[in-house]
Amino acid sequence: MKTPTRKMTVPAFREAAERGQKLTMLTAYDYLWAGIMDEAGVDSILVGDSLAMVVQGKSTTLPVTLDQMIYHGELVARAVQRALVIVDMPFMSYQVSPQQAVENAGRIMKETGADAIKLEGGAIQSETIRGIGRAEIPVMAHIGMRPQAVRQLGGMGKIQRDEQRLLDDARAAEDAGAFSIVLELVPEDIAGRITEALSIPTIGIGAGARCSGQVLVGPDMLGLNPGFKPRFLKQFGDLRNNALSAVRGYIQEVQNGQFPDEQHSHH
Ligand code: KIV
């Protein structure tokens, strides 16, 4: 597999989807992992507000703050040379008013060096998407299962099956100027029909193969989060077990005097 070399921009992201290229996106939250994913050639890196759960150990995404998203966004953007970097707007950083949203999206862009922001919602956020777009900030929308609406939806893992509502949300986000839309936990057929109805790329998570591209949470697909096994998740690595065995090997070798040996000592 050839690693792409040109910087992925928002127009290039849309053009790649128009050419029929399946887009790849993963989440990352720090310099080290963002650098690995970028070097591997992923098209886009999302600094997701899933940070609250996979990095901070919280039970929902609601507690993560704008300052924390900016801190991690900057670490990621600094590592990345090619991928399109997108930073999530956290809960209550855009819901109050379009003005609040524009100001906070502006902070993310200025302070992280990211290429775009993502926010949750379709029709209910159309005025906000339009406002952020007027500030020339590219917006990715996120519909279907919206983790920030967990209290309203009654849980995190619920498949969203109201096709008309999903289509209305997708069209509203596109009309408001979103350059792409994440579809989370949507049945494959519905996600396929939404993708066909839009002119902007859809990025699915638990939404089947007919989206324009896919996103997974980095630590989940790397096998670092073994307790989390939803149907849609494929683990492409077993890093937790690799790390456990490395740390156990170190402890054993220090305790039995094998490490440091001659090769790892200065004279
Ligand atoms: O926060 C996140 O990681 C996300 C992805 C699941 C799309 O929004």
Side-chain angles (χ1 to χ4, degrees):
M1 195 180 62
K2 220 171 118 223
T3 304
T5 48
R6 279 181 41 214
K7 168 69 187 162
M8 180 62 85
T9 60
V10 166
F13 191 77
R14 290 190 60 169
E15 283 156 23
E18 277 157 25
R19 286 195 306 274
Q21 181 184 321
K22 285 281 187 187
L23 297 166
T24 56
M25 179 156 102
L26 288 172
T27 70
Y29 315 95
D30 65 19
Y31 183 88
L32 183 93
W33 279 107
I36 292 172
M37 289 172 182
D38 192 47
E39 187 180 330
V42 75
D43 295 312
S44 176
I45 296 181
L46 171 68
V47 187
D49 61 354
S50 49
L51 160 62
M53 300 175 75
V54 295
V55 176
Q56 298 179 330
K58 307 274 171 66
S59 61
T60 72
T61 60
L62 304 187
V64 68
T65 67
L66 180 64
D67 284 342
Q68 289 165 345
M69 292 304 300
I70 288 174
Y71 173 78
H72 287 270
E74 195 276 330
L75 302 184
V76 167
R78 195 142 37 87
V80 170
Q81 290 179 11
R82 182 194 162 268
L84 187 76
V85 177
I86 303 170
V87 176
D88 253 342
M89 295 195 73
F91 181 58
M92 292 316 288
S93 70
Y94 60 94
Q95 287 91 341
V96 175
S97 67
Q99 183 178 339
Q100 179 216 26
V102 177
E103 283 169 4
N104 286 335
R107 268 198 71 196
I108 291 175
M109 298 300 281
K110 274 174 106 77
E111 296 176 38
T112 67
D115 299 300
I117 61 91
K118 176 167 86 58
L119 55 76
E120 294 183 12
I124 48 166
Q125 294 303 343
S126 56
E127 217 190 310
T128 294
I129 296 170
R130 217 167 253 119
I132 297 174
R134 270 198 294 271
E136 315 286 5
I137 298 172
V139 181
M140 176 178 264
H142 180 156
I143 67 168
M145 204 288 286
R146 291 170 295 113
Q148 291 178 19
V150 57
R151 305 293 184 221
Q152 186 101 303
L153 297 174
M156 280 288 225
K158 296 216 164 124
I159 315 288
Q160 303 299 300
R161 300 179 187 276
D162 184 342
E163 180 161 358
Q164 193 54 53
R165 182 165 177 202
L166 288 163
L167 191 57
D168 291 347
D169 274 337
R171 286 212 168 106
E174 175 173 36
D175 290 348
F179 74 92
S180 177
I181 305 182
V182 167
L183 303 182
E184 180 161 358
L185 296 189
V186 174
E188 180 166 33
D189 285 355
I190 297 179
R193 287 192 284 275
I194 292 172
T195 302
E196 280 159 23
L198 301 182
S199 64
I200 57 174
T202 57
I203 306 296
I205 175 161
R210 289 169 58 192
C211 295
S212 321
Q214 298 294 322
V215 56
L216 285 176
V217 169
D220 294 346
M221 62 82 74
L222 290 166
L224 282 163
N225 196 4
F228 184 62
K229 287 201 167 84
R231 181 185 166 99
F232 69 81
L233 176 65
K234 178 168 174 181
Q235 288 187 358
F236 287 82
D238 188 16
L239 266 57
R240 187 166 195 277
N241 281 326
N242 290 350
L244 276 173
S245 108
V247 174
R248 286 185 182 132
Y250 164 77
I251 293 168
Q252 198 179 8
E253 289 199 16
V254 170
Q255 287 177 345
N256 69 18
Q258 248 180 295
F259 177 83
D261 52 13
E262 273 302 295
Q263 198 192 335
H264 296 98
S265 301
H266 297 287
H267 298 286

PDB file of all heavy atoms in Angstrom, residues 27 29 46 48-50 88 118 142 182 184 205 215 217, ligand 1:
ATOM      1  N   THR A  27      -9.898   8.266  15.164  1.00  0.00           N
ATOM      2  CA  THR A  27      -9.699   9.273  16.209  1.00  0.00           C
ATOM      3  C   THR A  27      -8.308   9.111  16.816  1.00  0.00           C
ATOM      4  O   THR A  27      -7.777   8.002  16.922  1.00  0.00           O
ATOM      5  CB  THR A  27     -10.739   9.175  17.348  1.00  0.00           C
ATOM      6  OG1 THR A  27     -10.503   7.983  18.105  1.00  0.00           O
ATOM      7  CG2 THR A  27     -12.164   9.188  16.816  1.00  0.00           C
ATOM      8  N   TYR A  29      -5.755  11.402  19.960  1.00  0.00           N
ATOM      9  CA  TYR A  29      -5.864  12.442  20.992  1.00  0.00           C
ATOM     10  C   TYR A  29      -4.500  13.004  21.403  1.00  0.00           C
ATOM     11  O   TYR A  29      -4.424  13.857  22.270  1.00  0.00           O
ATOM     12  CB  TYR A  29      -6.577  11.858  22.232  1.00  0.00           C
ATOM     13  CG  TYR A  29      -7.794  11.052  21.842  1.00  0.00           C
ATOM     14  CD1 TYR A  29      -7.723   9.661  21.682  1.00  0.00           C
ATOM     15  CD2 TYR A  29      -9.001  11.691  21.584  1.00  0.00           C
ATOM     16  CE1 TYR A  29      -8.825   8.922  21.279  1.00  0.00           C
ATOM     17  CE2 TYR A  29     -10.116  10.963  21.188  1.00  0.00           C
ATOM     18  CZ  TYR A  29     -10.016   9.582  21.030  1.00  0.00           C
ATOM     19  OH  TYR A  29     -11.111   8.858  20.620  1.00  0.00           O
ATOM     20  N   LEU A  46      -9.662  12.554  13.565  1.00  0.00           N
ATOM     21  CA  LEU A  46     -10.654  13.281  14.365  1.00  0.00           C
ATOM     22  C   LEU A  46     -10.208  13.301  15.816  1.00  0.00           C
ATOM     23  O   LEU A  46      -9.950  12.232  16.397  1.00  0.00           O
ATOM     24  CB  LEU A  46     -12.014  12.570  14.263  1.00  0.00           C
ATOM     25  CG  LEU A  46     -13.109  13.088  15.206  1.00  0.00           C
ATOM     26  CD1 LEU A  46     -13.536  14.502  14.820  1.00  0.00           C
ATOM     27  CD2 LEU A  46     -14.316  12.153  15.197  1.00  0.00           C
ATOM     28  N   GLY A  48     -11.804  13.386  18.631  1.00  0.00           N
ATOM     29  CA  GLY A  48     -13.205  13.229  19.023  1.00  0.00           C
ATOM     30  C   GLY A  48     -13.394  13.581  20.494  1.00  0.00           C
ATOM     31  O   GLY A  48     -12.476  13.449  21.310  1.00  0.00           O
ATOM     32  N   ASP A  49     -14.638  13.966  20.817  1.00  0.00           N
ATOM     33  CA  ASP A  49     -14.915  14.185  22.240  1.00  0.00           C
ATOM     34  C   ASP A  49     -15.050  12.839  22.963  1.00  0.00           C
ATOM     35  O   ASP A  49     -15.213  12.805  24.189  1.00  0.00           O
ATOM     36  CB  ASP A  49     -16.123  15.099  22.457  1.00  0.00           C
ATOM     37  CG  ASP A  49     -17.403  14.536  21.888  1.00  0.00           C
ATOM     38  OD1 ASP A  49     -17.367  13.488  21.207  1.00  0.00           O
ATOM     39  OD2 ASP A  49     -18.472  15.158  22.116  1.00  0.00           O
ATOM     40  N   SER A  50     -14.918  11.718  22.213  1.00  0.00           N
ATOM     41  CA  SER A  50     -14.766  10.397  22.842  1.00  0.00           C
ATOM     42  C   SER A  50     -13.534  10.394  23.745  1.00  0.00           C
ATOM     43  O   SER A  50     -13.356   9.483  24.559  1.00  0.00           O
ATOM     44  CB  SER A  50     -14.636   9.308  21.773  1.00  0.00           C
ATOM     45  OG  SER A  50     -13.666   9.673  20.809  1.00  0.00           O
ATOM     46  N   ASP A  88     -13.598  17.937  17.486  1.00  0.00           N
ATOM     47  CA  ASP A  88     -14.995  17.970  17.944  1.00  0.00           C
ATOM     48  C   ASP A  88     -15.253  19.182  18.825  1.00  0.00           C
ATOM     49  O   ASP A  88     -14.429  19.511  19.700  1.00  0.00           O
ATOM     50  CB  ASP A  88     -15.265  16.730  18.810  1.00  0.00           C
ATOM     51  CG  ASP A  88     -16.133  15.706  18.116  1.00  0.00           C
ATOM     52  OD1 ASP A  88     -16.809  16.045  17.122  1.00  0.00           O
ATOM     53  OD2 ASP A  88     -16.120  14.547  18.577  1.00  0.00           O
ATOM     54  N   LYS A 118     -16.076  19.570  14.089  1.00  0.00           N
ATOM     55  CA  LYS A 118     -17.273  18.725  13.963  1.00  0.00           C
ATOM     56  C   LYS A 118     -18.224  19.056  15.097  1.00  0.00           C
ATOM     57  O   LYS A 118     -17.769  19.337  16.215  1.00  0.00           O
ATOM     58  CB  LYS A 118     -16.895  17.235  14.005  1.00  0.00           C
ATOM     59  CG  LYS A 118     -18.112  16.312  13.984  1.00  0.00           C
ATOM     60  CD  LYS A 118     -17.738  14.856  13.714  1.00  0.00           C
ATOM     61  CE  LYS A 118     -17.348  14.048  14.925  1.00  0.00           C
ATOM     62  NZ  LYS A 118     -18.356  13.960  15.992  1.00  0.00           N
ATOM     63  N   HIS A 142     -22.788  15.609  12.471  1.00  0.00           N
ATOM     64  CA  HIS A 142     -22.802  14.252  13.049  1.00  0.00           C
ATOM     65  C   HIS A 142     -24.250  13.956  13.425  1.00  0.00           C
ATOM     66  O   HIS A 142     -24.806  14.609  14.306  1.00  0.00           O
ATOM     67  CB  HIS A 142     -21.879  14.260  14.276  1.00  0.00           C
ATOM     68  CG  HIS A 142     -21.775  12.952  14.999  1.00  0.00           C
ATOM     69  ND1 HIS A 142     -20.682  12.633  15.775  1.00  0.00           N
ATOM     70  CD2 HIS A 142     -22.606  11.892  15.115  1.00  0.00           C
ATOM     71  CE1 HIS A 142     -20.842  11.431  16.307  1.00  0.00           C
ATOM     72  NE2 HIS A 142     -22.013  10.966  15.925  1.00  0.00           N
ATOM     73  N   VAL A 182     -20.999  12.731   9.639  1.00  0.00           N
ATOM     74  CA  VAL A 182     -20.836  11.420  10.282  1.00  0.00           C
ATOM     75  C   VAL A 182     -22.226  10.832  10.515  1.00  0.00           C
ATOM     76  O   VAL A 182     -23.127  11.520  11.004  1.00  0.00           O
ATOM     77  CB  VAL A 182     -20.081  11.550  11.625  1.00  0.00           C
ATOM     78  CG1 VAL A 182     -20.197  10.262  12.443  1.00  0.00           C
ATOM     79  CG2 VAL A 182     -18.606  11.880  11.387  1.00  0.00           C
ATOM     80  N   GLU A 184     -23.822   7.866  12.676  1.00  0.00           N
ATOM     81  CA  GLU A 184     -23.460   6.908  13.732  1.00  0.00           C
ATOM     82  C   GLU A 184     -24.650   6.008  14.062  1.00  0.00           C
ATOM     83  O   GLU A 184     -25.759   6.491  14.333  1.00  0.00           O
ATOM     84  CB  GLU A 184     -22.985   7.661  14.989  1.00  0.00           C
ATOM     85  CG  GLU A 184     -22.597   6.702  16.107  1.00  0.00           C
ATOM     86  CD  GLU A 184     -21.710   7.292  17.193  1.00  0.00           C
ATOM     87  OE1 GLU A 184     -21.329   8.476  17.088  1.00  0.00           O
ATOM     88  OE2 GLU A 184     -21.402   6.554  18.156  1.00  0.00           O
ATOM     89  N   ILE A 205     -20.010   5.201  11.189  1.00  0.00           N
ATOM     90  CA  ILE A 205     -19.507   4.376  12.298  1.00  0.00           C
ATOM     91  C   ILE A 205     -20.705   3.543  12.739  1.00  0.00           C
ATOM     92  O   ILE A 205     -21.720   4.083  13.191  1.00  0.00           O
ATOM     93  CB  ILE A 205     -18.862   5.207  13.434  1.00  0.00           C
ATOM     94  CG1 ILE A 205     -18.471   4.285  14.607  1.00  0.00           C
ATOM     95  CG2 ILE A 205     -19.712   6.384  13.890  1.00  0.00           C
ATOM     96  CD1 ILE A 205     -17.436   4.874  15.564  1.00  0.00           C
ATOM     97  N   VAL A 215     -15.233   5.714   9.971  1.00  0.00           N
ATOM     98  CA  VAL A 215     -14.442   6.198  11.100  1.00  0.00           C
ATOM     99  C   VAL A 215     -14.541   5.179  12.231  1.00  0.00           C
ATOM    100  O   VAL A 215     -15.592   4.560  12.426  1.00  0.00           O
ATOM    101  CB  VAL A 215     -14.903   7.598  11.602  1.00  0.00           C
ATOM    102  CG1 VAL A 215     -16.369   7.631  11.979  1.00  0.00           C
ATOM    103  CG2 VAL A 215     -14.046   8.072  12.776  1.00  0.00           C
ATOM    104  N   VAL A 217     -12.968   4.657  16.466  1.00  0.00           N
ATOM    105  CA  VAL A 217     -12.220   5.245  17.588  1.00  0.00           C
ATOM    106  C   VAL A 217     -10.869   4.512  17.660  1.00  0.00           C
ATOM    107  O   VAL A 217     -10.837   3.274  17.759  1.00  0.00           O
ATOM    108  CB  VAL A 217     -13.044   5.113  18.890  1.00  0.00           C
ATOM    109  CG1 VAL A 217     -12.209   5.448  20.113  1.00  0.00           C
ATOM    110  CG2 VAL A 217     -14.277   6.026  18.804  1.00  0.00           C
TER     111      VAL A 217
HETATM  112  O1  KIV B   1     -16.004  11.519  19.419  1.00  0.00           O
HETATM  113  C1  KIV B   1     -15.823  10.651  18.556  1.00  0.00           C
HETATM  114  O2  KIV B   1     -14.917   9.818  18.640  1.00  0.00           O
HETATM  115  C2  KIV B   1     -16.735  10.622  17.427  1.00  0.00           C
HETATM  116  C3  KIV B   1     -16.625   9.478  16.479  1.00  0.00           C
HETATM  117  C4  KIV B   1     -17.200   8.265  17.075  1.00  0.00           C
HETATM  118  C5  KIV B   1     -17.240   9.790  15.162  1.00  0.00           C
HETATM  119  O3  KIV B   1     -17.540  11.487  17.283  1.00  0.00           O
END
